[in-house]
Amino acid sequence: MDRTQNDIDYVVKQADTGFQFLQKTDVTERAELMYAIAAEIEGLGEILIETAHLETALPLGRLQGEKARTVNQWRLYADAVRTGLYSEARIDRDPNGQFDLRKYNKGLGPVVVFGASNFPFAFSTAGGDTASAIGAGCSVIVKAHPAHLKTSQLMADAIDRAVSMYGASNGVFSHVVSDSFDTGQQLVRHSCVKAVAFTGSFHGGKALFDLGQSRPDPIPVFAEMGSVNPVFLLPDYLANNFEAFAKQYISSLLLGVGQFCTNPGVLVSVGGEQLDYLKAELKKELQAATTGKMLHAGILESYNRLKEQMIQYDAVRILEEGQNNEAQDFAQPLLVETEASQVLANPKLLEEVFGPFGLIISCADLNEMKQVMEQLEGQITITFAASTHDIRECQNLFALAQDRCGRLLFQGMPTGVEVQYAMQHGGPFPATTDARFTSVGPDAVKRFLRPFSFQNWPNEFLPKELQDGNPLQIDRLVNQRWTKA
Amino acid sequence: MDRTQNDIDYVVKQADTGFQFLQKTDVTERAELMYAIAAEIEGLGEILIETAHLETALPLGRLQGEKARTVNQWRLYADAVRTGLYSEARIDRDPNGQFDLRKYNKGLGPVVVFGASNFPFAFSTAGGDTASAIGAGCSVIVKAHPAHLKTSQLMADAIDRAVSMYGASNGVFSHVVSDSFDTGQQLVRHSCVKAVAFTGSFHGGKALFDLGQSRPDPIPVFAEMGSVNPVFLLPDYLANNFEAFAKQYISSLLLGVGQFCTNPGVLVSVGGEQLDYLKAELKKELQAATTGKMLHAGILESYNRLKEQMIQYDAVRILEEGQNNEAQDFAQPLLVETEASQVLANPKLLEEVFGPFGLIISCADLNEMKQVMEQLEGQITITFAASTHDIRECQNLFALAQDRCGRLLFQGMPTGVEVQYAMQHGGPFPATTDARFTSVGPDAVKRFLRPFSFQNWPNEFLPKELQDGNPLQIDRLVNQRWTKA
C-alpha cells in the first residue's frame, strides 16, 4: 500500500473522500472503527517489536510497554469520543418558535501527521495524532518517519486492515513514504488538507507552521517542538532531600537516553553548601548510571554538536561526564554548570540539547531565581522540587511559572506523561505552536474539530448527535441545561 | 481615562497586571465582575443612545434593542462562566498514588479587541469580544473604533466604574483612542499581548492575522471578516413560495442598510419561468422598500465603489435599483443578475459588496448549482430556501455546504444572529481566520482559554476550580466521570 511522492494529489483527493465518509459517521460508529484499529495493532506480534528494535535501538521492554500504551490510547480516545464529550451538542429552541438552533463539533477535514522518531508507536504512524484526528472525524495522511519506515508500514497495514474490515473508504487513512523534504511541504500546502500535526524539532515544526499560515487559506498546524523542562529546586526541599533528589533527577535525565520531550534539561537552584552536596550526589549518580544508543545517527550527531556548542561558552563548566562507549555509538551523558548571571546575560544557554544533557544553574538568591524564571520561554513542563513551605514563600515564582508552561509539577519528575483527561502536553510558544490544545490524552481530539450550527434544519437530515430523541444518548446542553433527554 | 498612542507600552504593562489580577479570580468572582459591568451599561441613559445615533446614523429603536442585547450578552456569558462549563475541570488520580493530575482552562493573557462599526454596542467596546475575554480571565485592551469614539468612551467609562467598584486592577480593561493605524499594529506586536479579536473587513482582518502569525511568538488572531452568505433557492420550494420568499429576501437584504455580516448578498437558483416570476416579485419589493444612511461616509463610499466595480463586468446586468436619496447620503440598494457560467469563469463575481447589494445567479440546472457551491469560499452562513423534498433530492449540495460555512439554515434568512449556546458565528477562511471558534454566544469565551495541568500540586495552592471538595460546585470530570462531588 506504499504511496510515493509522485501522486500527492491523488493521495489527498482520496483523503478528502475518506473525510466525506467519516463526516457521515456518528461518534458511536467512529469509536467502533477506533476499537477495530486498536485490536489490529494489539494483534501485531513479535515482528513489530523486533522491527522497531532494529530501527530505533529502543529496548524490547520499552517497546512492549509503548505498544500497550498505543493500543490503550486508541481505546481511551474511542471511549471519550463515544460519550459525545467532544461533540459538545447544544440545542436552543425559541419558546416562540422563531428558531431552532443545534450545534455540534465536526471534523476539520483531512489531517497530515508527521510522527516523531522517539516514540515509534505512541507518537508516530498509529500514535495519538492519528487516533485523535480519526476520533474527530478527520481522515489522516501519515508522512512516514524516515527513521523507522518498516515499523511505520506495519502500523499502516494494521490500520488499513481495520479500515477495510469496517467498510470505510480507503482514504480514511493514507501512508506516504518519501525521503524528499518537498513531499511534506506539498502535503501541507495542498488546498484539501485542513490541519497538520507534527512532533519533532523547533526548526521542523516552525517551518511547517509558517507554511500553514502563509497558505492562501491558513490552516492550524499543531507542532510539538522543544522544551528544556526546567526544575526549580527550592531551599527547604533541597536541605531535606538532596540524596533522593539526585537519584530521581539523573534517572529522569537519562531515561530513554534523554530522548523525551519532557526531559528535565535545566536545574535551577540557589548556590551554596547545600547545592554543593547535591552536585556531589549528582556526580556519583551519573558515574553509576548506564547509557545507550540514540534513535539514529542523525540524533547522536546533533546531540554531540549541540553539547559541543554549549561547552564552548566560557560560562559553562563541565561538572561530570557519564559513561562513554564510542565503539557502540552510545551517547555520553553530560552535566554542566553555570551561574544565573551568565544565563541572564546569554539566553542561548537555555536552549535545548536533545539528549542526556543537564545544565545546573546556580542563583545568588531567590530573587535571581525569579529573574531566571522570567527569562524562560514557553515550556511543556516546569517542576518545583519544593516543600509546601517553599511554595508559600515563593508565590511570585509560582505565578510566573503558570505563564510559561502547560504542566506544573510539585516534586517528582516531568518525564512521565500519563495518557489521561487531565494531562496537558503542550505549552506556550516555542514549546508548541498552539498552547490551547494538548497532544496527549483524549482532549487531543479537540484539535481537529470545528463547531457547526444547523438552524431550523429538518430532523431527518440532522446528524444523530443532534436529532430529536437523542438516539446516541449523549450529554447535550438543551436550552441551557445538560440532559440526555 | 483616555490613553493615547504615546504610551502603548504603559497600557500593555497595565493590562498584564490586570491579567495577573484576573488569574487569581475564580469563575464565580469573574461572573460577579461581569454582572457589575452589565448593570453599569444598563444604567447608561438616553445619552448613550443619542450619542450612538449621532455617530452611526443607526435608528433609535435599533440602538435600544442593541443595548439590551449587549447587557444580556454580559449576563448570559457570566452565567455560562459561573457554571464552570469553560473551566473544563478534569481530575485524574492514580489508584496507586503515582500521580494526581488536575487540569482546567485559564486565560491566555491580555487580549486586544478591535470593535466593529456596524454594531457600536454589541460588537464594539463593551461587546461580545470584551465580555468573552474577561469571562476567560483575560484583561482587555480596546482600540476604540474611530467611527464612534464618543459612544466607545461612554462604554469604556461604564466598564471602568464596574472594575473600580469591584476592586480590580485598572489594567483589567483599557481603552486606547488613536487615529493612527500604527497604534493597532504596535498593540498586536507587543510581546505581552496574547490574543487579538477583530470584526471588520477582510483586508483589515487578514493584515492583523499575518502580523500575529509573524511575531517571534505567534498568537491567535480571531478576525471575523467578509461573507456573501449565499441563499440556495431550490426548485420545489421556489415553485410554492416565490411571493413570500421575495418579501423575506428583500427585507433581509436591506436590514440595517445591508450592513450585517450575515447579509444574504448572493441568491442562487435554477433559471426558468419560476425564477422569472420571482425576479418580478423581487423588483416589486425593492421598489416598495425604503433605504437609509450608512454608518459613515467611508462605508458609503466603499459601497458605491464596489457596486460600480460589479456592474462594470459585462456579465452583470442590473435587475432593479432601489430608492435613491443622494441629498441625504442614503445608500441606493441594487439587485443585479448573472449566469452561473459567468460566475464559474470569474470568481470575483462572488466577492462581497458590503451594503444593500444582491446578486442573483441563474443556473442551467442543479448540476451547475453544485458547481457554484464548489466555487464558494468559506462563509459564515449558507441558507437553503428548500423543501424537505428538495433536501432529499440534493444531498450532494448539502454535503458540500457543510464544508463551506459555520451555520446552515433551512428556510428563513441568515441576518438574525441569536445569542445562544447553539449559535456558530464564524466559518472557514476567509469568512473568519479560525473556524474552530464562534464570536457570538457564550462559547465565544473559549477563544481566550488554554488548558493547564497541575501534577501532585498541594491542594491549598490549587485554583478553587480544582480543589478537593469542589468549593465552587462546578461539574468536573473526575476519574472519567462527571461529578459535582
Side-chain angles (χ1 to χ4, degrees):
Chain A
M1 288 278 287
D2 261 29
R3 288 165 193 140
T4 69
Q5 65 270 44
N6 300 320
D7 47 11
I8 297 292
D9 195 57
Y10 172 81
V11 170
V12 179
K13 292 275 166 64
Q14 282 272 96
D16 204 37
T17 307
F19 170 61
Q20 297 305 332
F21 174 90
L22 288 175
Q23 282 222 76
K24 288 178 198 135
T25 60
D26 61 46
V27 289
T28 311
E29 292 163 341
R30 280 208 299 287
E32 291 306 321
L33 171 58
M34 296 167 79
Y35 295 134
I37 293 172
E40 282 295 330
I41 297 171
E42 198 167 40
L44 288 171
E46 277 310 301
I47 180 81
L48 177 74
I49 305 295
E50 281 158 20
T51 304
H53 177 63
L54 285 172
E55 285 190 319
T56 66
L58 290 170
L60 295 171
R62 143 78 196 264
L63 288 167
Q64 290 286 10
E66 192 183 325
K67 181 188 166 195
R69 177 194 176 110
T70 305
V71 171
N72 290 343
Q73 253 175 201
W74 279 92
R75 290 185 177 142
L76 178 62
Y77 295 11
D79 291 345
V81 165
R82 195 177 52 171
T83 67
L85 175 61
Y86 303 122
S87 302
E88 295 189 291
R90 281 122 162 74
I91 299 179
D92 289 299
R93 282 196 211 90
D94 181 39
N96 304 316
Q98 290 297 299
F99 60 83
D100 175 309
L101 264 175
R102 300 177 186 223
K103 182 168 75 169
Y104 81 139
N105 290 332
K106 65 191 224 51
L108 286 176
V111 173
V112 173
V113 170
F114 295 87
S117 65
N118 58 343
F119 283 85
F121 304 153
F123 288 89
S124 189
T125 308
D129 288 341
T130 300
S132 46
I134 287 182
C138 296
S139 54
V140 171
I141 302 164
V142 166
K143 164 78 169 60
H145 198 290
H148 52 255
L149 286 177
K150 287 177 188 156
T151 305
S152 188
Q153 191 66 55
L154 286 170
M155 285 295 197
D157 291 344
I159 298 176
D160 277 340
R161 281 195 298 275
V163 166
S164 157
M165 279 191 309
Y166 182 80
S169 146
N170 280 341
V172 163
F173 176 82
S174 313
H175 189 231
V176 174
V177 176
S178 162
D179 50 15
S180 157
F181 186 64
D182 280 355
T183 305
Q185 295 200 326
Q186 282 172 272
L187 285 168
V188 174
R189 267 201 228 103
H190 196 289
S191 65
C192 290
V193 167
K194 296 304 179 193
V196 176
F198 167 91
T199 309
S201 70
F202 175 78
H203 179 76
K206 183 60 164 56
L208 291 178
F209 175 82
D210 289 343
L211 205 59
Q213 302 326 297
S214 61
R215 284 168 49 127
D217 58 325
I219 56 172
V221 176
F222 303 99
E224 196 231 287
M225 306 180 292
S227 191
V228 293
N229 302 290
V231 178
F232 287 80
L233 178 54
L234 296 183
D236 186 48
Y237 188 78
L238 172 59
N240 297 297
N241 298 279
F242 57 87
E243 284 185 9
F245 178 82
K247 272 193 215 315
Q248 235 187 350
Y249 180 76
I250 295 298
S251 156
S252 178
L253 192 74
L254 304 193
L255 194 69
V257 200
Q259 300 164 114
F260 277 66
C261 43
T262 48
N263 190 52
V266 166
L267 175 59
V268 190
S269 187
V270 174
E273 207 179 18
Q274 303 286 356
L275 185 58
D276 292 338
Y277 290 145
L278 176 69
K279 284 182 191 165
E281 287 296 317
L282 289 170
K283 289 169 78 155
K284 209 171 73 187
E285 292 296 331
L286 191 66
Q287 283 160 7
T290 56
T291 176
K293 243 178 140 156
M294 294 190 89
L295 291 153
H296 52 84
I299 283 201
L300 176 62
E301 190 231 321
S302 155
Y303 171 63
N304 285 330
R305 184 168 39 80
L306 293 173
K307 209 167 63 165
E308 196 57 38
Q309 262 177 35
M310 277 292 174
I311 54 182
Q312 290 301 315
Y313 291 117
D314 289 340
V316 174
R317 298 181 305 279
I318 292 180
L319 180 66
E320 186 70 39
E321 293 182 290
Q323 191 194 53
N324 196 6
N325 192 335
E326 283 179 15
Q328 289 191 44
D329 281 342
F330 277 22
Q332 185 177 25
L334 181 65
L335 273 182
V336 299
E337 57 181 333
T338 192
E339 284 72 45
S341 56
Q342 301 288 349
V343 170
L344 297 174
N346 181 8
K348 282 183 179 296
L349 298 184
L350 289 172
E351 286 179 2
E352 186 181 15
V353 177
F354 191 76
F357 173 89
L359 167 67
I360 297 163
I361 300 173
S362 151
C363 306
D365 51 26
L366 285 172
N367 186 49
E368 211 178 43
M369 187 182 272
K370 177 171 161 271
Q371 290 173 280
V372 172
M373 179 73 86
E374 283 170 335
Q375 177 113 335
L376 284 180
E377 294 189 292
Q379 304 289 332
I380 295 179
T381 70
I382 293 179
T383 300
F384 278 54
S387 66
T388 51
H389 173 78
D390 286 321
I391 302 278
R392 208 167 289 123
E393 297 296 302
C394 303
Q395 284 296 309
N396 56 354
L397 264 186
F398 174 37
L400 289 166
Q402 286 194 64
D403 291 341
R404 285 164 178 75
C405 69
R407 177 163 56 112
L408 192 60
L409 290 94
F410 180 75
Q411 303 176 1
M413 283 294 145
T415 27
V417 183
E418 302 295 334
V419 184
Q420 300 285 347
Y421 282 94
M423 174 53 65
Q424 173 59 14
H425 194 67
F429 191 90
T432 57
T433 49
D434 196 339
R436 293 172 299 164
F437 297 90
T438 182
S439 58
V440 175
D443 284 355
V445 172
K446 294 161 77 176
R447 291 176 294 172
F448 304 110
L449 293 166
R450 71 177 176 99
F452 190 87
S453 286
F454 294 91
Q455 186 162 337
N456 301 332
W457 204 257
N459 188 61
E460 62 180 301
F461 303 117
L462 284 171
K464 280 218 180 71
E465 287 84 348
L466 295 176
Q467 281 180 8
D468 289 344
N470 195 6
L472 300 177
Q473 285 297 293
I474 58 176
D475 282 316
R476 311 195 294 187
L477 191 63
V478 179
N479 290 340
Q480 311 191 18
R481 282 179 201 286
W482 286 104
T483 173
K484 279 199 163 72
Chain B
M1 289 280 287
D2 262 29
R3 289 166 193 141
T4 68
Q5 64 271 42
N6 301 321
D7 46 13
I8 298 291
D9 194 57
Y10 172 82
V11 170
V12 179
K13 292 277 165 64
Q14 283 272 97
D16 204 38
T17 307
F19 170 62
Q20 296 306 332
F21 174 90
L22 288 174
Q23 281 223 78
K24 288 178 199 136
T25 59
D26 60 47
V27 289
T28 312
E29 291 163 341
R30 281 208 299 287
E32 290 307 321
L33 171 59
M34 297 168 80
Y35 294 135
I37 293 172
E40 282 295 329
I41 297 170
E42 198 166 40
L44 289 172
E46 277 310 303
I47 181 81
L48 178 74
I49 306 296
E50 282 159 19
T51 304
H53 178 62
L54 286 171
E55 287 190 319
T56 66
L58 290 169
L60 296 171
R62 142 77 196 264
L63 288 167
Q64 290 285 10
E66 192 183 324
K67 181 188 164 195
R69 177 195 176 109
T70 305
V71 171
N72 289 343
Q73 252 175 201
W74 279 93
R75 290 186 177 141
L76 178 62
Y77 294 12
D79 291 345
V81 165
R82 195 176 51 171
T83 66
L85 176 59
Y86 303 122
S87 301
E88 295 188 288
R90 280 124 162 74
I91 299 179
D92 288 300
R93 282 196 212 91
D94 180 39
N96 305 317
Q98 292 295 300
F99 60 84
D100 175 310
L101 264 176
R102 299 176 187 225
K103 182 167 77 167
Y104 82 140
N105 290 333
K106 65 191 226 50
L108 285 177
V111 174
V112 173
V113 171
F114 295 85
S117 66
N118 59 343
F119 283 85
F121 305 154
F123 287 89
S124 188
T125 308
D129 289 341
T130 301
S132 46
I134 288 182
C138 296
S139 55
V140 171
I141 303 165
V142 166
K143 164 77 169 57
H145 198 290
H148 52 255
L149 285 177
K150 288 176 186 156
T151 304
S152 187
Q153 190 65 56
L154 286 169
M155 284 294 199
D157 292 344
I159 297 176
D160 278 340
R161 282 194 298 276
V163 166
S164 155
M165 280 191 309
Y166 182 80
S169 146
N170 279 341
V172 163
F173 177 81
S174 314
H175 189 230
V176 174
V177 177
S178 163
D179 49 14
S180 156
F181 185 65
D182 281 353
T183 306
Q185 296 201 324
Q186 284 173 269
L187 285 169
V188 173
R189 264 199 231 106
H190 197 290
S191 64
C192 290
V193 166
K194 297 302 179 195
V196 176
F198 167 92
T199 310
S201 69
F202 174 77
H203 178 76
K206 183 59 163 57
L208 291 178
F209 176 81
D210 289 342
L211 206 57
Q213 302 327 299
S214 61
R215 286 168 47 127
D217 57 326
I219 56 172
V221 175
F222 303 99
E224 195 231 287
M225 307 180 292
S227 191
V228 294
N229 303 290
V231 178
F232 287 81
L233 178 54
L234 297 182
D236 185 50
Y237 187 79
L238 171 60
N240 297 298
N241 299 278
F242 58 85
E243 286 185 7
F245 178 82
K247 272 194 216 312
Q248 234 187 352
Y249 180 76
I250 295 297
S251 158
S252 178
L253 193 72
L254 304 193
L255 193 69
V257 200
Q259 300 164 112
F260 277 67
C261 43
T262 47
N263 190 54
V266 165
L267 175 59
V268 190
S269 188
V270 174
E273 208 179 17
Q274 303 286 358
L275 184 57
D276 292 339
Y277 289 146
L278 176 69
K279 284 182 192 166
E281 286 297 317
L282 289 170
K283 288 171 78 156
K284 209 172 71 185
E285 292 296 330
L286 191 66
Q287 283 159 8
T290 57
T291 176
K293 243 177 138 156
M294 293 190 90
L295 289 154
H296 52 85
I299 284 201
L300 177 61
E301 191 232 321
S302 153
Y303 172 62
N304 285 329
R305 185 168 39 80
L306 293 173
K307 208 167 64 166
E308 198 56 40
Q309 263 177 32
M310 278 290 175
I311 55 183
Q312 291 300 317
Y313 291 117
D314 288 342
V316 174
R317 301 179 305 278
I318 292 181
L319 180 66
E320 186 70 37
E321 293 183 291
Q323 191 195 51
N324 196 6
N325 191 334
E326 283 180 13
Q328 290 192 43
D329 282 343
F330 278 22
Q332 185 177 24
L334 182 65
L335 272 182
V336 299
E337 57 181 333
T338 192
E339 283 72 44
S341 55
Q342 300 289 350
V343 170
L344 297 174
N346 181 8
K348 282 183 178 296
L349 298 183
L350 287 172
E351 286 180 3
E352 187 180 16
V353 178
F354 191 75
F357 173 89
L359 167 67
I360 298 163
I361 301 172
S362 153
C363 307
D365 51 26
L366 285 173
N367 186 50
E368 210 177 45
M369 187 182 272
K370 177 173 160 267
Q371 291 173 278
V372 173
M373 179 72 88
E374 284 169 335
Q375 177 113 335
L376 283 180
E377 294 190 293
Q379 304 291 331
I380 296 179
T381 70
I382 293 178
T383 300
F384 278 54
S387 65
T388 50
H389 173 78
D390 285 321
I391 301 280
R392 207 167 290 124
E393 296 296 303
C394 303
Q395 284 295 311
N396 57 353
L397 264 187
F398 173 37
L400 289 166
Q402 287 193 63
D403 291 340
R404 285 162 178 76
C405 69
R407 178 163 57 111
L408 191 62
L409 291 95
F410 180 75
Q411 302 178 3
M413 284 293 148
T415 28
V417 184
E418 302 296 334
V419 184
Q420 300 283 350
Y421 282 93
M423 173 53 66
Q424 173 59 13
H425 193 67
F429 191 89
T432 57
T433 49
D434 196 340
R436 293 171 300 164
F437 296 91
T438 181
S439 59
V440 175
D443 284 355
V445 172
K446 293 161 77 176
R447 291 176 295 171
F448 304 112
L449 292 166
R450 69 177 176 100
F452 190 89
S453 286
F454 292 91
Q455 186 162 336
N456 302 332
W457 204 256
N459 190 60
E460 61 179 302
F461 303 116
L462 285 170
K464 279 217 180 69
E465 287 83 349
L466 295 176
Q467 282 180 7
D468 288 343
N470 196 6
L472 301 176
Q473 283 297 292
I474 59 176
D475 282 316
R476 311 195 293 188
L477 192 61
V478 179
N479 289 341
Q480 310 192 19
R481 283 179 201 285
W482 286 104
T483 173
K484 280 198 163 69

